[in-house]
Amino acid sequence: MAVSSSPWALIALFLMASSTVMAIPPRKAIDVPFGRNYVPTWAFDHQKQLNGGSELQLILDKYTGTGFQSKGSYLFGHFSMHIKLPAGDTAGVVTAFYLSSTNNEHDEIDFEFLGNRTGQPAILQTNVFTGGKGNREQRIYLWFDPSKAYHTYSILWNLYQIVFFVDNIPIRVFKNAKDLGVRFPFNQPMKLYSSLWNADDWATRGGLEKTNWANAPFIASYRGFHIDGCQASVEAKYCATQGRMWWDQNEFRDLDAEQYRRLKWVRMKWTIYNYCTDRTRFPVMPAECKRDRDV
């Protein structure tokens, strides 16, 4: 009997497969120079490469921010960055690291670090857009000062789940809930982006706290630049290696008990906002929340 090779048929086959293997952490990221996987995209004069390109600084002043993007576009994979955030009074300043497609009904997977006044903790906001729809914000405080040293922020994205990690601790899971009517990123190649910019119209206390330019320049530092993904052309609708890469295997289709315990620790101790529990915005809990085990 012939088997359809359409993306939807492949997805159905993969989702029907059951998982009985213990989940494990993603493979160790491999650090490479900036130019291996990334290129600057704007305000080149506000970027500085150090140590042969193994470290990059983005610089924000009152004139401009700056940013960079990946050379390739990807469908699924493991993406990691070591980041040291700007120090001091950073209210209004946003450092972003994310994947995004480029069409109107775009998909996006976001880390956004929201600055704060001196003595107040920085906030990490995550979001997932599918088919142009976002509004899935979660915000946490970090259990360390992210401006004192490098910490690792990574995304595992396969056909079954998207997992956000901080230093290999899962802080968020977004499961494939297509059967519940929730769209999931699966057929739009995405580039990786990072930027440092002024967002004092919304970033700190809803825009009440403005950027203090007396503290400029603000500097975000990067290392690692790890990409282990299925590189695709813009026209590609699914990954040609689907099912054969390490991130597709059974042990990466769900978190294990220890990883869920750590996620619960983040949710109970460090979470300050979760769209899943916001009954003002969502009188009915969004369908994906229970599957994500995030309530």
Side-chain angles (χ1 to χ4, degrees):
M1 181 178 67
V3 177
S4 171
S5 61
S6 73
W8 289 108
L10 289 171
I11 286 170
L13 287 172
F14 287 121
L15 290 179
M16 285 189 294
S18 61
S19 172
T20 58
V21 179
M22 181 69 71
I24 60 175
R27 287 186 179 177
K28 182 176 175 59
I30 299 173
D31 293 348
V32 298
F34 170 77
R36 176 80 59 85
N37 292 323
Y38 288 94
V39 292
T41 50
W42 55 290
F44 293 12
D45 61 341
H46 280 59
Q47 300 187 21
K48 184 184 295 185
Q49 294 190 36
L50 305 171
N51 302 317
S54 64
E55 183 174 359
L56 177 74
Q57 291 182 342
L58 298 188
I59 302 167
L60 167 68
D61 58 26
K62 64 181 179 180
Y63 301 105
T64 186
T66 186
F68 61 90
Q69 70 178 43
S70 63
K71 294 178 178 179
S73 299
Y74 301 90
L75 276 167
F76 310 121
H78 181 234
F79 313 95
S80 182
M81 192 74 73
H82 311 312
I83 304 175
K84 183 166 63 175
L85 296 184
D89 185 342
T90 56
V93 175
V94 171
T95 308
F97 174 53
Y98 61 102
L99 292 114
S100 181
S101 62
T102 56
N103 60 358
N104 290 334
E105 293 190 356
H106 79 292
D107 296 334
E108 188 170 317
I109 305 169
D110 293 340
F111 279 112
E112 290 182 307
F113 304 89
L114 314 182
N116 217 334
R117 291 296 181 211
T118 301
Q120 300 297 315
I123 294 170
L124 172 54
Q125 174 173 284
T126 59
N127 204 349
V128 177
F129 287 74
T130 59
K133 177 184 179 296
N135 296 323
R136 299 186 177 99
E137 299 91 347
Q138 293 182 356
R139 292 184 174 189
I140 68 170
Y141 289 138
L142 294 167
W143 47 96
F144 51 83
D145 183 341
S147 70
K148 296 293 187 183
Y150 281 95
H151 291 269
T152 305
Y153 306 92
S154 54
I155 295 166
L156 176 69
W157 170 35
N158 58 31
L159 193 55
Y160 308 92
Q161 62 179 354
I162 297 165
V163 188
F164 297 77
F165 292 92
V166 174
D167 292 338
N168 281 329
I169 295 175
I171 65 161
R172 180 173 186 174
V173 177
F174 184 80
K175 291 286 190 180
N176 189 332
K178 179 182 175 295
D179 57 313
L180 301 178
V182 180
R183 293 179 69 166
F184 185 84
F186 83 98
N187 67 343
Q188 297 191 63
M190 293 196 270
K191 287 184 178 292
L192 289 105
Y193 300 87
S194 189
S195 57
L196 177 65
W197 52 294
N198 176 40
D200 66 4
D201 57 332
W202 66 270
T204 308
R205 295 183 59 213
L208 294 177
E209 302 283 352
K210 300 301 183 182
T211 302
N212 184 351
W213 293 111
N215 298 316
F218 301 99
I219 298 174
S221 301
Y222 297 77
R223 291 176 180 167
F225 311 108
H226 169 82
I227 293 177
D228 187 1
C230 175
Q231 189 164 351
S233 68
V234 174
E235 294 77 21
K237 298 302 181 185
Y238 63 98
C239 180
T241 59
Q242 181 62 44
R244 301 200 297 272
M245 306 303 291
W246 66 264
W247 60 77
D248 293 318
Q249 305 311 307
N250 283 357
E251 58 265 36
F252 301 103
R253 298 178 184 181
D254 197 1
L255 302 185
D256 65 15
E258 174 61 18
Q259 289 171 324
Y260 271 118
R261 186 190 68 78
R262 290 187 167 196
L263 177 62
K264 184 177 181 180
W265 172 75
V266 171
R267 198 60 65 238
M268 298 295 293
K269 187 173 179 62
W270 301 104
T271 299
I272 58 175
Y273 177 79
N274 185 352
Y275 80 106
C276 287
T277 58
D278 188 339
R279 290 297 161 266
T280 300
R281 291 178 66 197
F282 303 100
V284 177
M285 183 186 298
E288 68 271 15
C289 291
K290 286 188 177 180
R291 177 162 295 178
D292 296 342
R293 295 173 64 173
D294 226 355
V295 291

